[in-house]
Amino acid sequence: MNVDITFLPSGRKVAVRAGTTVLDASRKAGVAIRTRCGGKAACLMCKITTNGAGLSPLSEIERRKIAGLDKQGMRLACQTKITGRATVEVPEDPLKAAVRKQLMRQAEEDELW
Ligand code: FES
């Protein structure tokens, strides 16, 4: 059975087989989720936020790793499996955010001239 997942803020949507991890689905959708451990719940770089709908319950390893952040809707993309129609939000890459802020600052300075 295929299920749809939508990635915000891009709005990209992809259909994947139920049980696929959010990390694997993001790769299929062409959405970049940062990872260093390759999906072994070790680096904690693949955090996403969600309302939990259409996703597997927290596994014991995920519960230990994110220690209460699940109450704010945070999950690990590599440990979370898609079970139904789901929507997740992927945080902006910190490097891209820094570049975007610098470009905005520069544009404001250019307006002053
Ligand atoms: S990819 Fe490293 S913790 Fe998820």
Side-chain angles (χ1 to χ4, degrees):
M1 179 179 89
N2 279 353
V3 290
D4 289 337
I5 180 166
T6 304
F7 294 91
L8 299 176
S10 68
R12 287 192 189 167
K13 186 188 272 190
V14 67
V16 293
R17 186 177 296 212
T20 302
T21 65
V22 173
L23 183 62
D24 288 340
S26 74
R27 290 174 175 151
K28 186 175 178 187
V31 173
I33 294 181
R34 294 173 0 124
T35 170
R36 189 170 287 163
C37 71
K40 294 182 172 50
C43 69
L44 308 183
M45 293 177 75
C46 65
K47 292 186 197 108
I48 52 164
T49 52
T50 176
N51 64 6
L55 299 173
S56 61
L58 226 61
S59 66
E60 191 53 41
I61 188 167
E62 192 180 8
R63 188 181 315 278
R64 272 188 279 126
K65 292 288 184 174
I66 62 174
L69 292 175
D70 58 304
K71 291 176 179 53
Q72 298 167 23
M74 199 162 284
R75 301 288 303 267
L76 293 178
C78 68
Q79 301 300 307
T80 305
K81 293 183 176 154
I82 306 160
T83 58
R85 182 183 301 263
T87 300
V88 299
E89 183 155 356
V90 179
E92 187 175 23
D93 179 87
L95 180 60
K96 281 185 184 172
V99 169
R100 187 177 44 74
K101 279 184 187 170
Q102 182 62 33
L103 289 172
M104 286 173 58
R105 229 179 280 135
Q106 195 159 357
E108 287 172 11
E109 287 175 14
D110 289 348
E111 284 178 17
L112 296 175
W113 287 93

